[in-house]
Amino acid sequence: MSVAPTSASSPRLLFLRRAKTLSFVQSSSLSFPLRARKFVAKAMSATGIASELVELTAFKPPFHPTYDLKAVIALALSEDAGDRGDITCLATIPKEMDAEATFIAKENGVIAGICLAEMIFNQVDPSLQVEWSQKDGDHIIKGMQFGKVYGCARSIIVAERVVLNFMQRMSGIATLTKAMAEAAHPACILETRKTAPGLRLIDKWAVLIGGGKNHRLGLFDMVMIKDNHISVAGGVSSALKSVDEFLWKNNLSVPVEVETRTLEEVKEVLQYATENKTSLTRIMLDNMVVPVSNGDVDVSMLKDAVKLISGRFETEASGNVTLETVHKIGETGVTYISSGALTHSVKALDISLKIDTELALQVGRRTNRA
């Protein structure tokens, strides 16, 4: 049981402890560690042996002009604490008790949320000390001990569930993104706006950690002419003309994408672009991947569309994108493949934070999760 007063003179802590100093930059109301930080840490594999120098390089979250990451963390902590705080901790753990807790992977995957975890621990209790043997984007394996947190036992337990909720979700997204990105090559994998309400930036941050790229963050940073816009505007050409006039009138320079659902619509877009000066940058080829009876997909329509466009604009395939189909889609020559499943159907990666590490590993092995 690793519960003990911690001090700078402890030989065990001298090896793992680092100063709780982070370099932050401010971007609107968003704060994040920016520079790489080096520290000596125990390389905690499944067997928990050896040591190495680990460089923790934080992936910078995507920029959003109004998103307040600290406020999102505060809300998550507040919904847990309610109006009384952690009454179980108050009842069972002395205020002065210090502890050490270990992060344990309970399945294989890509770890994400380490940088965010540090922000949460710091927001709960700036005196907590956190060490990692892995960094965001690294592969972890079942049973691996990849991080430790030291300090006030109450603070660790108060932060535990919020840290794990974010880290497990982000790691699940990063794990699927990594698999999809590798299968989609040479096309780039994108997520969509189908994110959990309030977690838009965090979900998209996890996609970056997993090796994907971000689609638009919201309604403000890209013009995306979708089917409903086209229907109301009176057709593809009318919608494109309205967008070009709006951007010129308001002196705006943003990416412009138009959704097409048929080869005829693709031809109409190309004809408009031939006859007019346009801000169009990308053509979405929606549902041109057609499922067939044997579980495969027919990408012939998508290939025809890519051939028609012939590199004049970026292309994005959307619809019927799965881990099983994405490789075949990527081979068609599209620039991007977007998948809402990266964030709307995420399976969280199982991770725990345990004070009694040995007992946790015994239970994990008994249940085949360590």
Side-chain angles (χ1 to χ4, degrees), residues 40-160:
V40 176
K42 186 176 289 184
M44 294 168 286
S45 65
T47 54
I49 59 174
S51 62
E52 64 179 4
L53 185 69
V54 175
E55 185 176 274
L56 181 65
T57 304
F59 281 78
K60 196 165 78 169
F63 172 78
H64 192 293
T66 61
Y67 197 97
D68 189 339
L69 189 51
K70 285 185 176 180
V72 171
I73 293 171
L75 180 62
L77 292 168
S78 176
E79 69 181 3
D80 229 10
D83 59 352
R84 289 196 178 101
D86 187 343
I87 57 177
T88 311
C89 273
L90 294 173
T92 61
I93 300 175
K95 184 178 179 180
E96 67 279 2
M97 178 67 72
D98 281 356
E100 170 191 301
T102 302
F103 285 92
I104 304 172
K106 300 171 85 171
E107 57 184 320
N108 300 343
V110 175
I111 190 65
I114 284 177
C115 185
L116 183 59
E118 291 211 14
M119 295 182 202
I120 297 167
F121 282 126
N122 188 60
Q123 204 154 317
V124 170
D125 183 348
S127 72
L128 292 175
Q129 306 291 313
V130 191
E131 302 292 346
W132 307 98
S133 65
Q134 306 297 314
K135 60 184 181 296
D136 280 329
D138 283 352
H139 285 276
I140 55 174
I141 60 172
K142 185 168 66 174
M144 178 184 284
Q145 301 173 49
F146 62 89
K148 289 182 181 287
V149 56
Y150 312 93
C152 173
R154 285 184 179 180
S155 297
I156 292 171
I157 295 172
V158 164
E160 173 194 359

Side-chain angles (χ1 to χ4, degrees), residues 49-306:
I49 59 174
S51 62
E52 64 179 4
L53 185 69
V54 175
E55 185 176 274
L56 181 65
T57 304
F59 281 78
K60 196 165 78 169
F63 172 78
H64 192 293
T66 61
Y67 197 97
D68 189 339
L69 189 51
K70 285 185 176 180
V72 171
I73 293 171
L75 180 62
L77 292 168
S78 176
E79 69 181 3
D80 229 10
D83 59 352
R84 289 196 178 101
D86 187 343
I87 57 177
T88 311
C89 273
L90 294 173
T92 61
I93 300 175
K95 184 178 179 180
E96 67 279 2
M97 178 67 72
D98 281 356
E100 170 191 301
T102 302
F103 285 92
I104 304 172
K106 300 171 85 171
E107 57 184 320
N108 300 343
V110 175
I111 190 65
I114 284 177
C115 185
L116 183 59
E118 291 211 14
M119 295 182 202
I120 297 167
F121 282 126
N122 188 60
Q123 204 154 317
V124 170
D125 183 348
S127 72
L128 292 175
Q129 306 291 313
V130 191
E131 302 292 346
W132 307 98
S133 65
Q134 306 297 314
K135 60 184 181 296
D136 280 329
D138 283 352
H139 285 276
I140 55 174
I141 60 172
K142 185 168 66 174
M144 178 184 284
Q145 301 173 49
F146 62 89
K148 289 182 181 287
V149 56
Y150 312 93
C152 173
R154 285 184 179 180
S155 297
I156 292 171
I157 295 172
V158 164
E160 173 194 359
R161 179 42 51 195
V162 173
V163 166
L164 290 175
N165 283 350
F166 280 121
M167 184 176 279
Q168 287 178 306
R169 179 176 175 84
M170 290 183 72
S171 298
I173 292 171
T175 298
L176 179 57
T177 301
K178 176 66 74 175
M180 293 276 269
E182 290 176 352
H185 185 79
C188 297
I189 197 76
L190 307 171
E191 84 297 85
T192 68
R193 285 167 51 236
K194 297 173 183 176
T195 53
L199 299 183
R200 173 72 55 81
L201 185 137
I202 290 168
D203 283 0
K204 285 179 173 281
W205 190 2
V207 167
L208 293 179
I209 292 170
K213 293 189 176 182
N214 289 150
H215 211 307
R216 59 176 180 162
L217 278 174
L219 302 173
F220 61 92
D221 58 334
M222 180 184 199
V223 171
M224 191 164 176
I225 310 168
K226 292 182 67 65
D227 52 359
N228 286 334
H229 302 105
I230 291 167
S231 296
V232 174
V236 171
S237 296
S238 295
L240 281 168
K241 183 179 179 182
S242 296
V243 165
D244 285 331
E245 290 175 351
F246 175 85
L247 294 178
W248 179 82
K249 185 183 297 184
N250 290 277
N251 195 29
L252 287 176
S253 179
V254 294
V256 176
E257 180 171 9
V258 63
E259 177 182 310
T260 60
R261 296 156 291 181
T262 66
L263 293 180
E264 287 68 31
E265 285 187 334
V266 173
K267 292 174 184 177
E268 184 179 348
V269 169
L270 295 174
Q271 184 66 29
Y272 174 86
T274 299
E275 298 173 354
N276 301 273
K277 183 180 180 181
T278 180
S279 299
L280 181 66
T281 53
R282 187 185 306 173
I283 301 175
M284 176 184 284
L285 308 170
D286 190 45
N287 286 311
M288 295 189 187
V289 176
V290 182
V292 293
S293 57
N294 65 357
D296 198 2
V297 288
D298 179 0
V299 296
S300 57
M301 184 180 179
L302 182 63
K303 283 183 177 179
D304 290 344
V306 171

Side-chain angles (χ1 to χ4, degrees), residues 2-10 12-13 17 96-100 151:
S2 301
V3 179
T6 57
S7 69
S9 61
S10 166
R12 177 170 54 83
L13 294 186
R17 185 179 293 273
E96 67 279 2
M97 178 67 72
D98 281 356
E100 170 191 301

